[in-house]
Amino acid sequence: MGMTERTPGAARAGRPQLLVVFGLLLVLVAGVLFVVVSDVLADQRAYVAAPACPGGTRGDSCTTTVPATVVGREDVSSGRRVHRWLRLTEQGSHVVQRVRMAGRSPVYGAVSAGDEVEVTYWRGEIHTVRFGAAAQVSWASPANAWRFPMGFALMLLPWGLSMLWAGWWFPRRSAAAASMAPWQVSVGFAGGATLGCVGFVASMTAGGAPDALLVTAVGMVPSAIVGGLFAWWLLRREKHAADTSGILPVLPTERRCVDAAVYGDVSYSVDGFDHLVVGDGPLSATPDPAGRVARRALPETLTVQRLRSLRPQDPAGWYSVYGHDGVVIECRDGDHTVLIATRRRHAPVILGALHAACR
């Protein structure tokens, strides 16, 4: 009674497949973004190499530079970002054009209405605005169009590879061992997240695409260090969780209802009864956090065998509830093994109540 079929980690049985699917998807998206970056960089090289159009004509394979007059500036807020639009008219024309600029400097913040500038067209769009010796590209220019696709590609690729690594690792371990958030997988995600952030920031700030790739490559070293430190922290936490020598029985002096779950082939092991009442008569299991209703008393024949940390073979879900703060009190009730899972801070009073009941 109260027993349920359990397979540790069964809820995660489909996790390797999902990780592989999402990992491949992220790697594929990163690959597509790298193709976009390649096309943008090709456009950038074509723009730099494009000759001036002859006789003031305009064409897609050449550039045309004409004088213009600034009419005004517009700062348009879009969430946390500000779109900066320069309004101007070409010499001899009364048509006002709006050109979105890439940033504020060095031209946008320096000009005002009435200033004379030069604008350079390529493929029908204004790509550069010059004011004196200063030049600034527009938002349409390929000079900076590579930044966002490369930034997201460099951010998604490490995440995708981390998921593929996890998808490879899990099937080679038992479901029980995989259910306890292994550090081998967590470290990969920590390092991948760090490297992804480095790649994105590098793409937004580097002078060019090669510099962004170089910074990201160098960033593999600090990312590996972050992953190593994370592994050290996880292993240290696991070592601390495994040490239960400092947990000693304490006789309860008042009524308390604590988080705890009883597991075994016994009548007082019931699904959903995830609290124990101590200090109010016999130790009792209950689903009520206040401990007032539906109480099932634990028998005086229940004897403590030992105290230990959580193990992969314990009932599925215990680790997700208690994590590294969980401990297990192994008991015997006649021929039956009974496990009581609880938090470290509650274990002393439960042990005290169990020992008191056996006297």
Side-chain angles (χ1 to χ4, degrees):
M1 183 174 181
M3 288 287 289
T4 57
E5 182 68 23
R6 68 177 176 92
T7 53
R12 298 173 175 85
R15 177 168 56 181
Q17 292 82 357
L18 288 175
L19 287 170
V20 170
V21 169
F22 281 112
L24 288 174
L25 179 62
L26 292 181
V27 171
L28 178 62
V29 171
V32 172
L33 290 174
F34 279 125
V35 173
V36 173
V37 170
S38 178
D39 292 341
V40 170
L41 293 177
D43 287 343
Q44 182 181 356
R45 291 190 294 270
Y47 173 62
V48 173
C53 294
T57 59
R58 300 185 183 185
D60 290 344
S61 60
C62 56
T63 62
T64 302
T65 301
V66 297
T69 303
V70 175
V71 176
R73 301 180 306 183
E74 294 180 19
D75 290 335
V76 180
S77 297
S78 177
R80 295 184 178 182
R81 303 180 61 185
V82 177
H83 297 169
R84 295 177 172 86
W85 296 87
L86 190 64
R87 294 187 296 118
L88 48 82
T89 59
E90 290 185 26
Q91 192 176 60
S93 172
H94 298 289
V95 178
V96 177
Q97 299 188 67
R98 296 173 75 243
V99 182
R100 184 180 173 185
M101 304 299 293
R104 183 175 179 83
S105 61
V107 172
Y108 182 83
V111 298
S112 56
D115 287 337
E116 298 295 327
V117 297
E118 288 186 335
V119 295
T120 299
Y121 285 88
W122 184 59
R123 294 182 179 177
E125 293 184 289
I126 294 176
H127 283 257
T128 306
V129 179
R130 291 179 174 82
F131 180 55
Q136 183 180 351
V137 297
S138 70
W139 188 260
S141 173
N144 291 308
W146 60 271
R147 294 188 183 276
F148 277 103
M150 178 170 281
F152 282 108
L154 292 177
M155 181 175 64
L156 295 178
L157 182 59
W159 270 103
L161 294 177
S162 298
M163 289 185 177
L164 290 177
W165 155 250
W168 176 88
W169 187 90
F170 277 116
R172 287 158 178 76
R173 301 297 184 275
S174 67
S179 70
M180 298 188 71
W183 65 265
Q184 295 93 334
V185 173
S186 302
V187 167
F189 282 112
T194 303
L195 185 60
C197 291
V198 170
F200 185 82
V201 173
S203 298
M204 296 300 105
T205 58
D211 294 338
L213 292 174
L214 178 61
V215 171
T216 304
V218 174
M220 294 176 67
V221 175
S223 298
I225 293 175
V226 170
L229 291 174
F230 191 57
W232 172 80
W233 178 74
L234 286 176
L235 291 172
R236 184 180 180 186
R237 188 175 66 166
E238 290 179 5
K239 182 179 179 180
H240 172 73
D243 182 11
T244 59
S245 60
I247 302 177
L248 301 175
V250 175
L251 190 65
T253 58
E254 60 181 357
R255 182 186 185 278
R256 295 177 60 183
C257 189
V258 299
D259 296 339
V262 179
Y263 177 83
D265 190 11
V266 289
S267 60
Y268 46 89
S269 173
V270 183
D271 290 340
F273 280 52
D274 51 4
H275 290 79
L276 282 179
V277 180
V278 297
D280 185 20
L283 192 65
S284 303
T286 176
D288 178 19
R292 295 188 177 91
V293 298
R295 292 170 56 170
R296 291 210 178 185
L298 277 61
E300 295 181 356
T301 54
L302 191 64
T303 58
V304 176
Q305 300 294 304
R306 62 173 173 162
L307 177 69
R308 61 169 174 82
S309 60
L310 288 174
R311 293 177 179 173
Q313 293 77 21
D314 288 328
W318 277 6
Y319 183 82
S320 62
V321 173
Y322 303 110
H324 285 84
D325 187 45
V327 294
V328 175
I329 304 171
E330 290 190 2
C331 304
R332 294 290 296 178
D333 185 0
D335 296 332
H336 302 292
T337 297
V338 178
L339 306 179
I340 301 176
T342 188
R343 304 185 190 279
R344 296 177 74 90
R345 64 181 180 274
H346 300 322
V349 294
I350 296 177
L351 283 171
L354 288 169
H355 285 303
C358 293
R359 292 174 184 175

